[in-house]
Amino acid sequence: MNAPETAAAVDVDGLAARQRRFFRTDATRDLAFRKRQLRTLKDLLVRNEAAILDALKQDLGRPPSEAWTSEIGIVVTEIDTALKRLDRWARPKRVRTPFLLQPGSSRLVSEPFGSALIIGTWNYPLQLVLAPAVAALAAGNCAVLKPSELSPATSAVTARMIGEAFDPDLLAVVEGGIEPTQALLKQDFDYVFFTGGTRVGRIVMAAAAEHLAPVTLELGGKNPCIVAADADMKTAARRIAWGKFFNAGQTCIAPDFILVENSAQSAFHDALKGAITEFYGSDPAASADYARIVNEHHFDRLGALLGRGRTVAGGGTDRAARYIAPTVIADVTWDDPVMADEIFGPILPVIAYDDLDAELAALRNRPKPLALYVFTAEKGRADKVLAAISSGGAAVNDVFAQMLNAELPFGGVGASGMGAYHGRAGFDTFSHRRAVVRRATWPDVKLKYPPYKTPLAVLKRLLPWLM
Ligand code: NAD
C-alpha cells in the first residue's frame, strides 16, 4: 500500500464567491482556455494512473482493468470527445426568425452559468466527480468537487492531483462528509450537480432552492431486468452476470432484479451459474477480478438480505475481507426484503413470471428506475416493455450499453433523478441556452404600438402569418 495521499486543504469558506470572482474575469469564455484545462486534466489522469488504481484497490478492491475502464477510461473519453467537439457545441445555433421580427436574426447561445458544485458518491468515486467536471469546464464554468468520504483513498488522490495542477479559483476539491457538503450547499453556487441516493438528493435540491440554483440529480433505484423465454439464454446470462457483478454490484445501472419467464427459469439459472464460474472461477473470493464491498455498514446491510429464498449461486461472505460472493437467489417474491430497496451489491434476486402484462402493470406502479433491461428475440416484446415502463435509460439484449454510448445522454427520471450528462448532454447541462435576437432599426412598424388602431379581428388573422 502506498503512503497516504495528502493535499493542502482548500478553504471551504467563500469558495463559491472566489470562483465567481474568477469567472467574472471572463477567462473561461475563451475556448482555447477551456481546452487547455481539459488537456491538463487528461495529463493528470495519465500521470497518476498507478496512484488512482491503487486508491481504487484500497477503497473497493477494484481489479485494475475494471477500475481503469470505468473510472480513468470514461473520463478520458469524455475529455477526448469534448476536445474534438467543443468548437461545434459552443457555436451559436441559428434558428428561424419569424416575419414579425424581420429584418433580424435569432440565435441560441450557450453560455456558462458560473461556478458549479459537483457532489459525488463512492461507487465510482473518481468518475462521478471528474466526468461532470469535464462537462462543467468544457462549458466554461468553474467547479468545486466534493468526492465521497466513503472512498477516502480515491478522494485523497483526486484532491492531491487537482490541487497540484489547478488554481482553486477555477477547479477545487473539498474533501469530507456531511459537514463540508452542508457548508458548500449554503454557498451561492450557480449550479449544483449531485450523484448519490434519493434521500440526500432531496436535501441537496432543497438547499439549492435557497439560491435558486439549477440542479442535476443523478440518483438510483431498483433497475428491472426482464428475461423472456425466447432470449438467447447464454448471452443474456453472461451480460447480466457481468453487469451485476462488475464492481461487486455497486453500480447505479446494474440490473437490480430479474423477472424471468417461468418456462425458462431453470435454463436461465444454469446459464447464470455457468457465467459466474466462467468469470470468477469456482471460488470468486480468490479471483483477482472481483471487487469488495465498500465498508462494514454496507456489508452488514447486504448480509441481512441473504438467507431467504433458494440460493442458486454464491451466498458466501467474509466480513473481514468485505467479501460477498456473486449471489443469485431464486423463488423470490415481491414481499421479500430484497425487493424493498435498491440492493447496490452482488445479490441478484430472480422472480419467475407467467404473465408479462401483469408484471409490467406492477412495475408501472413503482418509482421510475435509472435503467431498464429486456432480453428477448422478439422486437415487438422489447418495444412493449419499453413503452410500458419509463426509465432514465434502457437497453435491449444488453446491460450498461445505454451508458457506454457517449452520443446518448445519461441520467434518471422521476425518483431516479433529473437532468443528464456525458458528451454533448454534459455541455448542455452546464450551459445556459440563451435566446438572442438581433434586429435592424428599420422599418419600425407602428402596428404593435399604442394607441392600438388595428381591429382585434384583423390582428387575429394577421398573427399566424406574422409568426
Ligand atoms: P449518499 O447520497 O449518501 O452520498 C452522496 C454524497 O452526498 C456524498 O458526497 C456525501 O458526502 C454527501 N452527503 C451524504 N449525506 C449528506 C447530507 N445529509 N447532507 C449533505 N451531503 C450529504 O450516497 P449513497 O446513497 O451511498 O450512494 C449510492 C446511491 O447513489 C445509490 O442509490 C446509487 O444508485 C446512486 N448512484 C447514482 C448514480 C447515477 O449516475 N445516477 C451513480 C452512482 C450512484
Side-chain angles (χ1 to χ4, degrees):
M1 199 181 285
N2 291 347
E5 298 274 348
T6 50
V10 172
D11 190 3
V12 176
D13 288 343
L15 205 42
R18 272 176 67 185
Q19 289 206 338
R20 182 166 302 117
R21 263 198 303 280
F22 177 72
F23 178 73
R24 286 185 181 155
T25 64
D26 286 339
T28 69
R29 301 249 168 195
D30 179 16
L31 297 188
F33 173 90
R34 300 183 199 177
K35 288 179 192 167
R36 275 200 304 281
Q37 312 314 317
L38 295 177
R39 284 194 200 98
T40 301
L41 192 55
K42 181 173 171 179
D43 183 51
L44 278 180
L45 291 170
V46 173
R47 277 194 289 117
N48 288 281
E49 181 182 306
I52 294 168
L53 295 183
D54 185 54
L56 289 162
K57 187 88 190 160
Q58 289 179 48
D59 287 333
L60 289 145
R62 301 285 298 276
S65 53
E66 270 191 19
W68 192 91
T69 49
S70 62
E71 305 267 3
I72 299 173
I74 285 191
V75 180
V76 167
T77 306
E78 284 289 305
I79 292 173
D80 288 344
T81 308
L83 286 172
K84 225 182 306 159
R85 310 254 176 92
L86 185 57
D87 292 333
R88 198 181 329 147
W89 292 344
R91 201 173 296 144
K93 186 173 179 287
R94 229 188 141 112
V95 298
R96 199 183 74 87
T97 303
F99 190 74
L100 178 75
L101 301 175
Q102 296 291 354
S105 67
S106 309
R107 282 182 170 74
L108 262 178
V109 182
S110 293
E111 55 171 40
F113 284 104
S115 171
L117 172 61
I118 295 171
I119 304 169
T121 191
W122 49 267
N123 60 330
Y124 291 90
L126 184 87
Q127 188 224 120
L128 295 176
V129 288
L130 290 191
V134 170
L137 292 173
N141 298 275
C142 307
V144 173
L145 315 181
K146 213 302 289 177
S148 172
E149 73 282 16
L150 299 189
S151 40
T154 314
S155 171
V157 77
T158 309
R160 196 261 298 148
M161 265 184 344
I162 301 291
E164 272 171 19
F166 286 92
D167 185 333
D169 288 5
L170 173 68
L171 185 65
V173 178
V174 171
E175 289 196 86
I178 296 177
E179 208 183 303
T181 316
Q182 298 267 358
L184 288 167
L185 284 168
K186 287 205 179 78
Q187 297 181 32
D188 191 8
F189 282 95
D190 301 290
Y191 202 95
V192 178
F193 187 106
F194 171 80
T195 305
T198 308
R199 184 187 66 82
V200 182
R202 286 200 180 92
I203 296 173
V204 168
M205 195 169 174
E210 287 297 314
H211 303 284
L212 290 181
V215 292
T216 293
L217 299 179
E218 297 284 344
L219 311 177
K222 278 186 98 58
N223 304 318
C225 178
I226 296 167
V227 181
D230 67 353
D232 173 338
M233 272 317 144
K234 197 160 176 218
T235 306
R238 293 178 87 191
R239 291 180 179 183
I240 290 168
W242 174 72
K244 179 69 184 187
F245 302 119
F246 194 99
N247 200 18
Q250 301 163 113
T251 303
C252 55
I253 52 169
D256 186 273
F257 61 95
I258 304 290
L259 287 171
V260 64
E261 196 165 351
N262 216 339
S263 58
Q265 206 186 158
S266 68
F268 178 66
H269 290 155
D270 290 345
L272 214 46
K273 269 193 290 192
I276 292 170
T277 312
E278 182 187 334
F279 295 169
Y280 308 112
S282 54
D283 178 16
S287 166
D289 295 323
Y290 186 62
R292 295 296 182 264
I293 306 305
V294 67
N295 58 25
E296 281 80 13
H297 164 74
H298 282 282
F299 178 91
D300 293 340
R301 177 184 65 78
L302 291 162
L305 301 176
L306 296 171
R308 287 168 199 254
R310 178 165 55 92
T311 303
V312 169
T317 65
D318 176 353
R319 193 169 193 273
R322 290 183 276 121
Y323 166 79
I324 297 181
T327 298
V328 179
I329 309 175
D331 302 341
V332 171
T333 71
W334 286 100
D335 300 325
D336 287 345
V338 77
M339 293 305 293
D341 297 311
E342 180 183 6
I343 296 168
F344 219 54
I347 301 171
L348 185 59
V350 182
I351 297 179
Y353 73 84
D354 289 306
D355 179 357
L356 181 61
D357 290 333
E359 297 306 325
L360 294 180
L363 287 174
R364 258 189 125 134
N365 288 327
R366 299 174 72 97
K368 291 178 184 175
L370 185 60
L372 169 71
Y373 302 115
V374 52
F375 288 79
T376 177
E378 198 186 303
K379 184 178 175 297
R381 184 177 290 109
D383 290 344
K384 180 179 180 171
V385 171
L386 294 176
I389 305 156
S390 176
S391 65
V396 177
N397 290 324
D398 205 355
V399 302
F400 293 8
Q402 76 281 17
M403 195 274 279
L404 295 172
N405 182 350
E407 301 296 322
L408 290 171
F410 177 77
V413 60
S416 57
M418 60 184 73
Y421 68 131
H422 289 184
R424 162 117 221 185
F427 177 87
D428 287 344
T429 282
F430 284 100
S431 301
H432 165 55
R433 308 247 285 157
R434 187 182 194 191
V436 179
V437 175
R438 289 175 196 268
R439 299 277 332 267
T441 49
W442 69 273
D444 196 26
V445 182
K446 293 225 170 110
L447 191 75
K448 70 180 178 191
Y449 298 123
Y452 303 116
K453 298 242 174 70
T454 317
L456 194 55
V458 175
L459 274 182
K460 283 181 179 172
R461 249 180 290 131
L462 270 179
L463 196 71
W465 185 71
L466 290 171
M467 299 306 282

